[in-house]
Amino acid sequence: MHPLPITDSTRVLVLTGAGVSAESGIATFRAGGGLWESHSVEEVASMAGFQSDPQLVWNFYSERRRGVLAAEPNAGHYALAKLEERLGDRFLLTTQNVDGLHSRAGSSRVLELHGNVCMTRCLVCARAPFSDEALHLDSLPACEVCEASGRDSLLRPHIVWFGEALDGQVLARIDDFISEAGADLLFLAIGTQGAVYPAASLVDVARRVGGSSYLVNLDEADNASQFDHIVRGKSGEVLPQLFGLSSEQSN
Ligand code: OAD
């Protein structure tokens, strides 16, 4: 496998999905046995679901929190952190994953499009989202800030649910990176089925500015035809090779 054609002017925009964390033992969504096979999206990943049964939703995210806290980054996460070390500001990582494993592997230019499962925010007040590793199993967490002002309010997971908008500032940073890069852009999607928007359309935006596009995925993705180059395989095995890392560098 040839390393990616990264020159001194190349700017690399990466989009990762659940497949990148599969080798860390975290379940993906759409495969057989994936999370959306055993759970209803409407029940656990929508505001209507939370309003109807907040404990069911907290139990679901508490279990995911438990899984993430027990997991470790894998060779794919580490390879991306190494690439960032080499490229600095010519690198940006956007992830649909909520597991925080990219940051734990050492990546710092990371934008979490769908939130973070180890963060919580208030349903009502404007306090900033905060780190929360507690498991709210069979007990609903209340907001202390609201309680102190005599209001009742529930805390919710800091996750973008279906029907909710992505953070506009995050999207603007991605747009800026793409337009500044222009034809120097190399867009690389990894471990994502390409079924959820707007993430799945980033490849089209990259192509519109004249950038090249690569997909690393285990199975056929829904938007595979949009990519210039496709590498089928496991990200933990493929990425160190694509980034030209020796086996010592990728550990
Ligand atoms: P999916 O579960 O839809 O797709 C994961 C993809 O990763 C599949 O195409 C697999 O073939 C591939 N894959 C599995 N293991 C891999 C490996 N080791 N290396 C490379 N590829 C591998 O997950 P996403 O596309 O990330 O949103 O899902 C996008 C969003 O849908 C999620 O962020 C989540 C979900 O609903 C929210 O919860 C808001």
Side-chain angles (χ1 to χ4, degrees):
M1 189 181 312
H2 293 296
L4 291 178
I6 297 175
T7 69
D8 288 348
S9 58
T10 309
R11 287 165 185 258
V12 176
L13 176 66
V14 178
L15 168 70
T16 61
V20 165
S21 294
E23 287 156 85
S24 295
I26 295 182
T28 61
F29 293 94
R30 290 175 182 78
L35 282 170
W36 292 159
E37 197 175 79
S38 45
H39 297 85
S40 141
V41 174
E42 292 75 24
E43 279 174 7
V44 300
S46 76
M47 182 49 88
F50 188 71
Q51 281 164 340
S52 127
D53 191 345
Q55 191 62 65
L56 177 79
V57 175
W58 264 119
N59 287 352
F60 174 72
Y61 286 102
S62 296
E63 288 303 346
R64 295 192 61 206
R65 202 171 259 189
R66 196 204 300 266
V68 160
L69 290 171
E72 294 296 337
N74 65 56
H77 297 108
Y78 287 117
L80 285 161
K82 288 273 175 227
L83 184 65
E84 177 183 351
E85 235 172 79
R86 180 173 141 204
L87 299 179
D89 285 337
R90 291 190 291 117
F91 176 94
L92 182 64
L93 174 50
T94 63
T95 184
Q96 299 165 91
N97 298 345
V98 296
D99 54 36
L101 290 180
H102 286 302
S103 303
R104 280 173 54 197
S107 291
S108 57
R109 292 165 179 86
V110 184
L111 300 176
E112 292 176 320
L113 293 172
H114 293 166
N116 187 308
V117 77
C118 290
M119 294 191 77
T120 292
R121 69 176 194 261
C122 180
L123 204 55
V124 171
C125 76
R127 73 192 278 200
F130 57 93
S131 292
D132 179 14
E133 297 188 349
L135 304 183
H136 303 294
L137 290 162
D138 302 318
S139 69
L140 285 174
C143 172
E144 314 87 55
V145 174
C146 285
E147 272 181 349
S149 331
R151 281 190 309 261
D152 280 342
S153 172
L154 269 186
L155 295 174
R156 62 164 278 180
H158 183 50
I159 296 283
V160 177
W161 285 329
F162 283 85
E164 296 183 328
L166 270 58
D167 182 332
Q169 285 181 347
V170 165
L171 295 178
R173 279 183 64 190
I174 298 171
D175 273 352
D176 288 349
F177 188 90
I178 293 176
S179 35
E180 277 164 28
D184 285 326
L185 184 71
L186 189 158
F187 175 68
L188 172 60
I190 311 161
T192 177
Q193 188 59 36
V196 172
Y197 288 80
S201 60
L202 276 180
V203 58
D204 304 312
V205 184
R207 287 179 63 144
R208 237 176 275 141
V209 298
S212 54
S213 55
Y214 290 76
L215 171 67
V216 172
N217 213 52
L218 192 55
D219 307 298
E220 170 96 11
D222 295 359
N223 61 349
S225 64
Q226 303 304 106
F227 287 82
D228 302 320
H229 309 274
I230 296 178
V231 183
R232 287 281 283 271
K234 292 188 172 180
S235 49
E237 293 165 10
V238 169
L239 295 183
Q241 296 180 54
L242 277 185
F243 302 159
L245 300 172
S246 63
S247 49
E248 298 90 67
Q249 282 176 307
S250 43
N251 289 321

